[in-house]
């Protein structure tokens, strides 16, 4: 390990970063790469958010006002793809880059050059993806789930570019995951056994295995599409003897673990933040670890709950219903644990805690709707309506995204050496909280009243709640610019942050000064 | 909230009040009109109440801590953690609740899958972007297109009560009978949904899915396509008219006669004017969605027909494209979708409309021969 640090030092002849643009282009430093991931992710968040604003503007009233249905479909598709692959996943990789070495007492990630490459592939992939908007025939318009044959036989010419972009993102994710696993398994400080690892490290380790397991499946399914579109095969084309339902099985075999890839690291981060601001240890460390493991394993055998209406045989239907309901058990264990941690603590509500508490409450609401969706007969009514849209936005916005905001505020003082502006951060929280609930809660009602998802225009009985939802969405969207302001302010200056700015926080990252030295831990700390 | 939203509507949306008077604030699923939909509704309510109760307990404890255990109020933290009894309990109790929930859910599912012993069989086929209903025992079938006008959609005209949920020809079924639906698709995946029946089934090309319903109350029931199927996914409603058995039988007899008359029309000698007139309608319902009412298309996906070489010159190629479609594109094979009369009318129309004045026509008989020579 120290050998790595030595060669590194020789490369640079000093312990600080290189100067100018090459610092960023050629960097192998986990903090610089982490920062780039986070900036990239926030950029994509704003871009995907802008598309969401277009969607909500069109849905503000019945009738077509802003965009044509064709473009509307491109917006829903690109919004989904950009948020999932561009905003949420890279944000967690950014957090992993910054925090894993600090949390396990390592100087850097285990594979720094690969780290650089896996980051720089991302802007390339998204350049390709976003450029499809300007191609003749337009961008992908078949939803982020890109079901065949809509995406193959009937897709726009840009579909091949979309496939290429997905391949590049996949390679980037897989390399990122390999790096995470190598780092965690090899670079832990002496004495840090697996069951002493911080939960963020645990959840990322499991997430990385999920990534390695399912990203190749995604690559497989888009390759089959590529063959169908360009090389005359008929994997998914019924008229050539293929099977459109096969597409969905393969896609969701990737897709369901993917939704956990987007939430497990947030589970981990929240499991640090809640004890810190409750000034009380996490209630059940071991059961939290086992719960994450159980969720990850179960996530491989529930995929067809996205396909209850495609006509799978009843035995399959029952199996996937039971398995999906079962996932609620470990998910419940996690929620109960967080609540028990807060119980009889000494709570204070700085911005990270506000986001973390909102995470627990609102994610649980998303879990409840998930449980409802798991009831296969009821899913016949819910499926492909706004009820599903409400469900996944509740688990992803106050789940994944609030988890990311909570982490950002929690660790910003460590990263920058300055405290952020607490008043602004609380404003950011409350506006986000209100806007988000205003935007997504009414979607439950819309779905139950029968509004299908992915439609550019709707029947009149859905008008009222759609308008409320759009107003909430605009509010949520606009509020996010505030976050940019807060971060810029914090980077530029502010009250100096102590090595450990939160009195209740635990972990190796707080033993280093804020900001930490360029090569994090050059001598491994001892963990008792 | 209602007042506020309405005010915002008036402010931001201008004068769209006719639309507003129709809106409502429905919060929950409706129980529907079939045994299945009622069973689903009761499952929905059960699981909803389970969630509400668990929510009250969990959030109750949490809010208690938030209010009572604040540092600012000088609360000192306890230091307890790990308690095997508690941890086992909160794993077992949810598990038991889930098992209890799974039992009625399984029963309902078994019932929904029982498509045996039906009284009426209807094939439902999804097309971009309309439905086709074929009455399998009765030898007739027809398309069902959305009836809402572009003027309403583009806000040039007030929106009618059943905006986007109206069709030209609804599916007609008898009340009190078990109707089996064989659901499939011709192009991409669609999904046929009528909320009041509790029936939703994906229509997948190459597959025939089965589902069934028994409606006890006569009435008109509305739903929509629920699987993204391209540009006009939001514009392919499902409308079902459930009528008493006598009325149903009468209607079936009429439809059979009409189908017979249609077959006779193929034999008739048509003039250019007659074909043009019929062609305009057929074009509007089958072709205009992509190629546009004025034949200008939306290149490159949907080529223009006005001034197109195939349309102006090569009659055989024109027949081939319309009858057999173009593999790998959105251009479907209309040979199986339209009658010979409509095929002849559409082709004739395309060759003579929008300044494509070729003066050429093709008769239903010629189309019939073309289709059968292959
Ligand atoms: C208690 C845990 C959960 C259960 C039981 C559950 C169940 C379900 C079910 C049954 C569906 C399919 C609904 C349908 O299409 O008809 C669904 C959709 C979805 N869920 Fe969950 N879910 C859970 C948690 C999560 C989490 C943690 C996430 C992500 C962080 C998530 C993200 C999604 C997404 C993105 C979709 C929709 C995908 C699409 O069709 O576009 N879910 N969930
Ligand atoms: Cu899932």
């Amino acid at each position: 390990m120290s050998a790595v640090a030595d060669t590194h030092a020789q490369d640079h002849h000093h312990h600080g970063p290189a100067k100018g643009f090459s610092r960023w282009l050629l960097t192998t430093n986990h903090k610089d790469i982490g920062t780039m991931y986070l900036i990239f992710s926030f950029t994509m968040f704003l871009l995907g958010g802008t598309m969401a604003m277009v969607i909500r503007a069109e849905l503000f009233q019945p009738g077509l006002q802003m965009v044509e249905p064709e473009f509307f479909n491109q917006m829903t598709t690109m919004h989904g793809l950009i948020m999932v692959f561009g905003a949420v996943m890279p944000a967690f990789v950014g957090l992993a880059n910054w925090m894993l070495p600090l949390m396990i007492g390592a100087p850097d990630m285990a594979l720094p050059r690969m780290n650089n490459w896996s980051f720089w592939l991302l802007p390339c992939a998204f350049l390709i993806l976003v450029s499809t908007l300007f191609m003749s025939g337009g961008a992908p318009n078949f939803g982020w789930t890109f079901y065949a044959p809509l995406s193959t036989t009937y897709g726009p010419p840009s579909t091949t570019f979309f496939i290429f972009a997905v391949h590049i993102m996949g390679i980037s994710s897989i390399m990122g995951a390999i790096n995470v696993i190598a780092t965690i398994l090899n670079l832990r400080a002496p004495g840090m056994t697996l069951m002493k690892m911080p939960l963020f490290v645990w959840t990322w380790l499991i997430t990385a295995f999920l990534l390695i397991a399912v990203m190749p499946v995604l690559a497989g399914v888009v390759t089959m599409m590529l063959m169908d579109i360009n090389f005359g095969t008929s994997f998914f084309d019924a008229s050539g003897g293929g099977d459109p339902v096969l597409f969905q099985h393969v896609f969701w075999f990737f897709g369901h673990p993917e939704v956990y890839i987007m939430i497990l690291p947030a589970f981990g981060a929240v499991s640090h933040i809640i004890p810190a601001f409750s000034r009380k240890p996490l209630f059940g460390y071991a059961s939290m670890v086992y719960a994450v493991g159980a969720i990850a394993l179960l996530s491989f055998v529930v995929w067809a709950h996205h396909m209850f209406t495609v006509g799978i045989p009843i035995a399959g239907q029952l199996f996937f219903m039971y398995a999906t309901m079962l996932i609620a058990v470990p998910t419940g264990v996690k929620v109960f644990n967080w609540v028990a941690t807060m119980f009889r603590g000494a709570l204070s509500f700085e911005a990270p805690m506000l986001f973390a508490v909102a995470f627990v409450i609102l994610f649980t609401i998303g879990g409840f709707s998930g449980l409802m969706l798991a009831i296969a007969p009821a899913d016949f009514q819910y499926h492909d309506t706004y009820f599903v849209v409400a469900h996944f936005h509740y688990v992803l916005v106050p789940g994944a995204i609030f988890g990311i905001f909570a982490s950002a505020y929690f660790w910003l003082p460590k990263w920058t050496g300055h405290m952020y502006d607490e008043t602004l951060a609380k404003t950011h929280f409350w506006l986000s909280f209100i806007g988000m609930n205003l935007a997504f809660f009414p979607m439950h009602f819309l779905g139950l009243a029968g509004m299908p998802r992915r439609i550019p225009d709707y029947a009149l009985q859905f008008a009222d709640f759609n308008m409320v939802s759009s107003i909430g969405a605009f509010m949520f969207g606009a509020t996010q610019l505030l976050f940019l302001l807060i971060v810029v302010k914090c980077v530029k200056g502010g009250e100096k942050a102590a090595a450990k700015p939160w009195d209740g926080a635990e972990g190796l990252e707080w033993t280093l000064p804020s900001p930490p030295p360029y090569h994090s831990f050059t001598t491994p700390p001892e963990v008792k | 909230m209602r007042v506020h939203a309405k005010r915002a509507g008036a402010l931001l949306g201008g004068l769209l009040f006719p639309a507003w008077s129709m809106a409502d604030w429905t919060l929950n699923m409706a129980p529907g009109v079939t045994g299945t939909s009622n069973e689903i509704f009761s499952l929905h309510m059960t699981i909803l109440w389970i969630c509400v109760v668990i929510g009250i307990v969990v959030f109750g404890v949490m809010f208690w801590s938030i209010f009572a255990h604040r540092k600012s109020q000088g609360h000192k933290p306890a230091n307890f953690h790990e308690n095997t009894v508690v941890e086992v309990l909160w794993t077992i109790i949810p598990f038991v609740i889930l098992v209890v929930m799974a039992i009625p859910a399984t029963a309902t599912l078994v019932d929904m899958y029982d498509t045996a012993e039906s009284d009426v069989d209807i094939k439902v086929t999804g097309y971009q972007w309309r439905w086709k209903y074929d009455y399998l025992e009765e030898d007739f079938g027809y398309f069902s297109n959305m009836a809402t006008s572009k003027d309403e959609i583009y806000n040039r005209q007030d929106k009618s009560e059943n905006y986007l949920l109206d069709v030209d020809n609804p599916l007609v079924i008898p009340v009190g009978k078990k109707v089996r639906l064989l659901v499939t698709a011709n192009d991409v995946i669609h999904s046929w949904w009528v909320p009041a029946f509790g029936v939703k089934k994906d229509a997948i090309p190459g597959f025939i899915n089965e589902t069934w319903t028994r409606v006890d109350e006569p009435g008109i029931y509305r739903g929509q396509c629920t699987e993204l199927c391209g540009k006009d996914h939001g514009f392919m409603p499902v409308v079902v008219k459930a009528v008493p058995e006598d009325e149903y039988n009468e209607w079936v007899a009429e439809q059979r006669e009409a189908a017979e008359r249609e077959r006779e029309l193929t034999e008739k000698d048509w003039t250019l004017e007659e074909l043009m007139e019929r062609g305009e309608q057929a074009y509007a319902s089958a072709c205009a969605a992509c190629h546009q009412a004025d034949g200008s298309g939306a290149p490159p996906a949907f080529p223009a027909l006005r001034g197109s070489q195939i349309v102006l010159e090569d009659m055989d190629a024109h027949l081939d494209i319309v009858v057999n479609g173009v593999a790998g594109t959105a251009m479907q094979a209309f040979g199986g979708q339209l009658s010979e009369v409509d095929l002849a009318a559409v082709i004739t129309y395309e060759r003579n409309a929008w300044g494509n004045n070729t003066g050429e026509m093709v008769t239903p008989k010629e189309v019939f021969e073309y289709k059968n020579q292959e």
Side-chain angles (χ1 to χ4, degrees), chain A residues 1 9 58 74 120 163 225 239 259 326 332 384 447 473 494 497:
Chain A
M1 198 163 53
E58 179 53 59
Q74 296 176 28
W120 280 110
I163 291 171
M225 282 173 64
S239 63
V259 307
L326 210 54
D384 267 343

Side-chain angles (χ1 to χ4, degrees), chain A residues 302-479:
Chain A
V302 297
W303 75 88
H305 67 211
H306 296 273
M307 302 165 59
F308 281 144
T309 61
V310 302
I312 39 182
I314 187 157
Q317 198 90 344
L318 288 172
F319 171 82
F320 285 107
M321 172 168 82
Y322 300 149
T324 304
M325 291 169 79
L326 210 54
I327 281 207
V329 175
T331 311
V333 166
K334 304 212 63 96
V335 173
F336 301 145
N337 258 299
W338 290 316
V339 174
T341 305
M342 289 168 68
F343 188 66
R344 295 184 48 214
L347 278 59
S348 62
F349 295 93
E350 288 85 350
M353 182 64 164
L354 285 175
F355 276 105
V357 172
F359 169 96
V360 177
I361 299 174
L362 300 175
F363 173 79
T364 304
I365 293 178
F368 284 147
S369 56
L371 188 55
M372 296 173 73
L373 291 164
I375 311 294
D379 186 65
F380 278 85
Q381 293 287 47
Y382 309 136
H383 177 66
D384 267 343
T385 68
Y386 260 81
F387 192 79
V388 176
V389 180
H391 160 67
F392 66 72
H393 281 93
Y394 262 83
V395 285
L396 287 171
V397 177
I401 308 266
F402 276 21
I404 293 164
F405 282 141
S407 313
Y409 285 122
F410 190 50
W411 286 309
L412 256 180
K414 174 61 49 189
W415 299 339
T416 62
H418 304 130
M419 299 306 287
Y420 58 83
D421 184 329
E422 190 66 52
T423 318
L424 282 183
K426 283 190 171 145
T427 314
H428 174 221
F429 168 76
W430 283 110
L431 291 176
S432 296
F433 181 84
I434 296 168
M436 176 268 138
N437 281 293
L438 216 52
F440 299 119
F441 210 83
M443 290 183 182
H444 292 110
F445 306 140
L446 286 170
L448 293 176
M451 179 170 163
R453 67 192 280 204
R454 293 172 167 163
I455 56 177
D457 191 9
Y458 46 81
L460 301 180
Q461 70 264 34
F462 307 127
D464 292 354
F465 279 128
N466 267 296
M467 187 174 280
V468 175
S469 175
S470 289
I471 292 170
F474 298 147
M475 178 172 167
F476 182 82
T479 304

Side-chain angles (χ1 to χ4, degrees), chain A residues 275-292:
Chain A
F277 294 93
S278 304
R279 296 168 181 81
K280 184 164 161 278
L282 188 66
F283 180 78
Y285 171 86
S287 67
M288 285 299 234
V289 173
Y290 298 138
V292 175

Side-chain angles (χ1 to χ4, degrees), chain B residues 39-273:
Chain B
E39 280 175 51
I40 292 179
F41 179 73
S42 79
L43 285 174
H44 161 71
M45 290 314 288
T46 316
I47 187 76
L48 181 62
W49 280 115
I50 291 177
C51 291
V52 168
V53 171
I54 300 178
I56 289 175
V57 174
V58 174
F59 298 148
V61 174
M62 184 175 196
F63 283 117
W64 168 252
S65 314
I66 290 179
F67 290 114
H69 304 153
R70 283 169 175 268
K71 185 179 172 235
S72 56
Q73 296 180 345
H75 193 269
K76 291 275 168 297
N79 196 27
F80 63 86
H81 58 102
E82 316 241 318
N83 180 322
T84 316
V85 178
V86 174
E87 289 177 72
V88 168
L89 275 183
W90 73 33
T91 312
I92 301 279
I93 295 175
F95 184 78
V96 173
I97 296 176
L98 290 179
V99 171
V100 171
M101 190 62 220
I103 295 168
T106 305
T108 304
L109 202 61
V110 170
D111 188 39
M112 289 169 82
Y113 264 69
D114 177 15
T115 51
E117 290 173 29
S118 58
D119 304 310
V120 178
D121 294 330
I122 301 170
K123 185 170 141 212
V124 176
T125 313
Y127 288 84
Q128 278 179 327
W129 291 274
R130 56 228 173 99
W131 295 99
K132 186 172 190 218
Y133 302 119
D134 286 296
Y135 287 69
L136 295 179
E137 290 97 355
E138 312 289 353
D139 237 15
F140 70 85
Y142 55 87
F143 280 97
S144 177
N145 296 289
M146 184 179 73
T148 303
S149 72
K150 286 252 185 275
D151 284 337
E152 284 181 52
I153 295 173
Y154 286 96
N155 315 305
R156 294 186 288 258
Q157 206 179 63
D158 285 352
K159 302 192 185 340
S160 50
E161 185 183 346
N162 292 312
Y163 176 66
L164 299 186
L165 298 179
D166 229 359
V167 297
D168 50 1
N169 306 304
L171 174 69
V172 179
I173 58 169
V175 293
K177 296 277 177 196
K178 184 163 184 176
V179 178
R180 185 167 64 129
L181 300 167
L182 302 161
V183 186
T184 185
N186 183 60
D187 34 53
V188 300
I189 302 179
H190 305 265
S191 189
W192 194 86
W193 184 33
V194 180
F197 300 172
V199 170
K200 181 183 287 152
K201 206 73 178 178
D202 289 1
I204 306 172
F207 284 74
I208 295 182
N209 271 330
E210 287 186 32
T211 185
W212 67 277
T213 190
R214 179 184 283 121
V215 183
D216 292 322
E217 287 170 47
I220 293 180
Y221 302 101
R222 297 172 198 278
Q224 283 176 269
C225 174
T226 48
E227 181 64 60
L228 177 62
C229 56
K231 172 167 83 62
D232 286 347
H233 164 54
F235 307 96
M236 53 181 293
V238 174
V239 180
V240 182
K241 200 167 143 193
V243 298
E245 203 181 345
D246 307 347
E247 202 181 314
Y248 174 76
N249 289 336
E250 241 168 69
W251 177 84
V252 167
E254 271 168 35
Q255 295 299 310
R256 294 181 62 139
E257 254 172 57
E260 193 50 43
R261 269 200 308 278
E262 187 74 14
R263 281 187 276 272
E264 278 163 17
L265 278 181
T266 315
E267 299 302 314
K268 181 185 137 162
D269 289 316
W270 290 76
T271 66
L272 181 66
E273 285 69 36

